[in-house]
Amino acid sequence: MRVVIAEDDALLREGLVLLLTGEGIEVAAAAGEPEGFLAAVEEHRPDVAVVDVRMPPTHTDEGIKAAVAAKRLHPELGVLVLSAYVEQAFATDLLAVGTRGIGYLLKERVGKVEEFLGALTRVADGGTAIDPDVVAQLFARRRDPLDQLTAREREVLSHMAQGLGNMAIAEKLVISEGAVHKHIRNIFAKLDLAQTDRVDRRVAAVLAYLDNTPPERPA
């Protein structure tokens, strides 16, 4: 896996480099500003980029804009965005370019190394990794259509949106895989979404629905 990092905080940037290289992951470049990041993506064509949402010069939305620009230029690029706290508008901007190879995590998750590396790997492989706190806010935005779901179905949907497969969801909720599969069938039926066993497509459908975007239908 080849990674490009965009983080203006030198300490965190170097920490990410050390963490990833220590895990045997190639860090092709680590930039401290958006222009350097975009140039590095063009030069190294990484599998995934780790990008801070707030970067110079104004430290407002330069990072998320650079992440979106990189994704639009290179749709195959995985993009894992890091934010100090939940910023729903930025999550929406990121989801606007699609849900394949997209991640949005709070920076505090980096300290949970296995969780962070798992999210990075999923995104690099074309999957989705959305922070649970972000998922909760997206749920809040679309509460009316979700009212028809049972509490357990909402739990399953939340884990699906975080990128977990049936087995992982079953382990989290201490239920059988068969029960998870049944809940997923009910969720898609109630939300009028196409059913599919492919994790990336079902996550894309869930996130697209939460973001008020028509879900991609399977071929």
Side-chain angles (χ1 to χ4, degrees), residues 21-199:
T21 55
E23 294 292 329
I25 296 172
E26 177 187 353
V27 178
E33 35 76 32
E35 293 76 12
F37 159 66
L38 291 172
V41 169
E42 286 294 332
E43 178 182 356
H44 299 287
R45 298 299 175 93
D47 301 300
V48 60
V50 179
V51 187
D52 182 12
V53 298
R54 296 182 182 274
M55 298 189 73
T58 69
H59 296 278
T60 54
D61 60 356
E62 285 88 349
I64 195 70
K65 285 183 176 178
V68 169
K71 185 68 174 176
R72 284 180 172 152
L73 287 170
H74 305 285
E76 74 286 355
L77 173 69
V79 175
L80 179 59
V81 169
L82 300 180
S83 179
Y85 49 89
V86 176
E87 298 178 87
Q88 185 177 312
F90 291 166
T92 301
D93 289 344
L94 188 62
L95 291 172
V97 296
T99 51
R100 182 171 177 79
I102 289 293
Y104 189 103
L105 295 182
L106 295 179
K107 287 186 176 181
E108 64 189 46
R109 308 289 177 191
V110 176
K112 301 176 181 178
V113 176
E114 288 188 10
E115 184 176 333
F116 172 66
L117 294 176
L120 185 68
T121 301
R122 279 204 305 277
V123 171
D125 290 341
T128 307
I130 307 298
D131 195 284
D133 289 343
V134 176
V135 172
Q137 287 212 11
L138 291 174
F139 275 153
R141 290 184 61 216
R142 295 299 306 275
R143 184 163 302 280
D144 290 345
L146 298 175
D147 281 345
Q148 59 191 310
L149 301 183
T150 66
R152 178 64 84 187
E153 288 165 355
R154 287 175 64 88
E155 285 183 305
V156 170
L157 181 57
S158 176
H159 289 308
M160 285 169 59
Q162 293 169 43
L164 301 185
N166 287 12
M167 182 180 296
I169 294 173
E171 291 175 353
K172 286 272 189 181
L173 300 181
V174 196
I175 58 178
S176 69
E177 284 190 68
V180 172
H181 187 67
K182 180 180 178 181
H183 287 312
I184 291 172
R185 286 204 313 268
N186 291 340
I187 290 166
F188 279 109
K190 290 179 179 181
L191 299 184
D192 193 27
L193 297 173
Q195 298 182 39
T196 173
D197 290 330
R198 292 183 57 187
V199 174

